[in-house]
Amino acid sequence: MGNALQNQVDHIANLINTGDWTNGMTTEDFDSEEEFEEANTPWAWLSGVLDIEWIVSSDRKTFLGASLLVSFGGPNIWVNTRSGRVDGSWWGESASALLVNDNELQQACEELFGC
């Protein structure tokens, strides 16, 4: 699973780093341009996240980041906006990738935390 796990982690990091919130889908994959624009946002991507663990300061009010569970049960993959990493694990193996451009996702998480 080693290469496959690293490939999955890298794929998720690449989607976030490039702002490809529709996982490679284009306007032709949607009924309209408007539908594509609505789907191609970090907010829409967050709607598919399986769990969110908030990372806050000791005052319990100041948002610092979020850990987002995007896959579980084989492998488990988390996106951590505080550390700027995507981490995956499967049967004792692990893989990680850096997020170099997660500002949109971090902003969306902070807005969601504030709701």
Side-chain angles (χ1 to χ4, degrees):
M1 182 73 189
N3 277 346
L5 176 60
Q6 186 65 58
N7 289 343
Q8 286 181 299
V9 166
D10 289 343
H11 177 72
I12 292 166
N14 185 54
L15 293 176
I16 295 167
N17 288 332
T18 61
D20 180 7
W21 305 110
T22 60
N23 194 20
M25 297 174 75
T26 65
T27 53
E28 289 79 34
D29 298 308
F30 291 86
D31 291 333
S32 68
E33 179 77 27
E34 287 178 4
E35 189 178 301
F36 172 75
E37 293 301 323
E38 288 176 15
N40 196 27
T41 66
W43 276 98
W45 188 83
L46 279 171
S47 71
V49 166
L50 303 169
D51 190 28
I52 300 174
E53 292 182 359
W54 300 111
I55 303 167
V56 297
S57 68
S58 61
D59 66 8
R60 297 183 183 176
K61 297 176 186 173
T62 305
F63 173 82
L64 301 174
S67 287
L68 312 169
L69 180 63
V70 296
S71 173
F72 78 98
N76 292 345
I77 300 177
W78 290 86
V79 173
N80 187 313
T81 66
R82 170 106 167 135
S83 67
R85 295 168 50 111
V86 178
D87 294 304
S89 60
W90 175 247
W91 285 93
E93 294 183 33
S94 62
S96 63
L98 293 177
L99 297 175
V100 295
N101 186 22
D102 66 338
N103 294 337
E104 284 183 294
L105 182 58
Q106 179 77 344
Q107 286 179 326
C109 287
E110 187 168 8
E111 287 178 37
L112 183 58
F113 176 76
C115 289

